[in-house]
Amino acid sequence: KEPAGFPGQSSRFFSQCDPELRSPGKRWLVAGLGNPGLPGTRHSVGMAVLGQLARRLGVAESWARDSRCAADLALAALGDAQLVLLRPRRLMNVNGRSVARAAELFGLTAEEVYLVHDELDKPLGKLALKLGGSARGHNGVRSCISCLNSSAMPRLRVGIGRPTHPSAIQAYVLSCFSPEEQVLLPPLLDRATDLLLDHIRARSQGPSSGP
């Protein structure tokens, strides 16, 4: 079914997808957490992964703003499944409001929502797929847990490293990657996309939607 509350965009998006996507099939929401207007910063690396995911799936030119959930959305086919890609237009600390509203519009449970976000406790270049659990101090994830009233969302944690002094964390996450770090980003975004797609494919083909 088409999502309620996607005015002016839903029919156009669905007409661009394979006809099989309009029949009952698995649907997943993949949200890249970050701050709008700060795409090159460490804290918005989740949005960078979503950009690479959209390019890989051939929908990089299909992003459209949806005012109902204050986010940019794009729909993509993945075999018999459908991915709803989301980049919130709200600040990181309230990203959950956009994610939860989109999940409601598309009729998805928390288990069907993937969060992609930065991780201070892993060095740049390291990835981990975490299945549920606490926010581990990440305000964007905390907002999603609060707004979805669940901690079951699978999360792709993208390492950005941690500054030496705790007092420098806020400035660090809001700063841009250094030239040396930027060299590491393209292969990191590729590996993050591979990990996401492999996991979603496996769940789409499995007997249930549980992680």
Side-chain angles (χ1 to χ4, degrees), residues 134-198:
S134 70
R136 297 170 60 90
H138 193 287
N139 289 333
V141 175
R142 181 180 293 113
S143 174
C144 290
I145 290 173
S146 175
C147 293
L148 285 161
N149 196 29
S150 174
S151 61
M153 299 78 71
R155 298 158 221 176
L156 179 60
R157 299 156 57 201
V158 183
I160 60 169
R162 180 181 286 273
T164 304
H165 300 290
S167 61
I169 287 178
Q170 182 173 355
Y172 176 79
V173 299
L174 294 178
S175 64
C176 292
F177 288 103
S178 70
E180 293 78 15
E181 290 172 326
Q182 289 175 19
V183 174
L184 302 176
L185 283 180
L188 174 62
L189 298 182
D190 272 334
R191 288 191 293 108
T193 298
D194 288 340
L195 185 56
L196 271 174
L197 292 177
D198 287 347

Side-chain angles (χ1 to χ4, degrees), residues 27-29 84 102-113 148:
R27 182 181 286 160
W28 310 95
L29 173 65
V84 180
E104 179 186 10
L105 294 176
F106 284 88
L108 300 175
T109 66
E111 291 84 356
E112 296 166 329
V113 174
L148 285 161

Side-chain angles (χ1 to χ4, degrees), residues 19-208:
E20 64 192 24
L21 292 181
R22 290 190 288 273
S23 62
K26 199 62 198 163
R27 182 181 286 160
W28 310 95
L29 173 65
V30 185
L33 305 187
N35 286 305
L38 297 173
T41 64
R42 296 178 174 90
H43 216 21
S44 293
V45 73
M47 289 185 169
V49 173
L50 263 287
Q52 178 62 19
L53 184 59
R55 288 188 288 273
R56 181 81 65 84
L57 296 172
V59 296
E61 304 303 318
S62 299
W63 292 102
R65 184 170 186 172
D66 183 86
S67 59
R68 296 286 185 98
C69 54
D72 293 327
L73 299 177
L75 300 186
L78 184 66
D80 293 334
Q82 181 187 70
L83 303 189
V84 180
L85 310 185
L86 180 145
R87 296 186 303 200
R89 283 181 171 265
R90 292 185 168 105
L91 293 176
M92 175 70 90
N93 289 7
V94 290
N95 269 191
R97 292 165 58 190
S98 293
V99 175
R101 181 60 173 144
E104 179 186 10
L105 294 176
F106 284 88
L108 300 175
T109 66
E111 291 84 356
E112 296 166 329
V113 174
Y114 282 78
L115 306 180
V116 186
H117 62 88
D118 59 303
E119 175 58 65
L120 282 166
D121 290 330
K122 291 189 176 299
L124 183 66
K126 296 295 184 181
L127 300 167
L129 193 58
K130 176 180 173 62
L131 303 179
S134 70
R136 297 170 60 90
H138 193 287
N139 289 333
V141 175
R142 181 180 293 113
S143 174
C144 290
I145 290 173
S146 175
C147 293
L148 285 161
N149 196 29
S150 174
S151 61
M153 299 78 71
R155 298 158 221 176
L156 179 60
R157 299 156 57 201
V158 183
I160 60 169
R162 180 181 286 273
T164 304
H165 300 290
S167 61
I169 287 178
Q170 182 173 355
Y172 176 79
V173 299
L174 294 178
S175 64
C176 292
F177 288 103
S178 70
E180 293 78 15
E181 290 172 326
Q182 289 175 19
V183 174
L184 302 176
L185 283 180
L188 174 62
L189 298 182
D190 272 334
R191 288 191 293 108
T193 298
D194 288 340
L195 185 56
L196 271 174
L197 292 177
D198 287 347
H199 197 267
I200 294 172
R201 284 191 190 99
R203 292 181 72 196
S204 298
Q205 296 166 2
S208 71

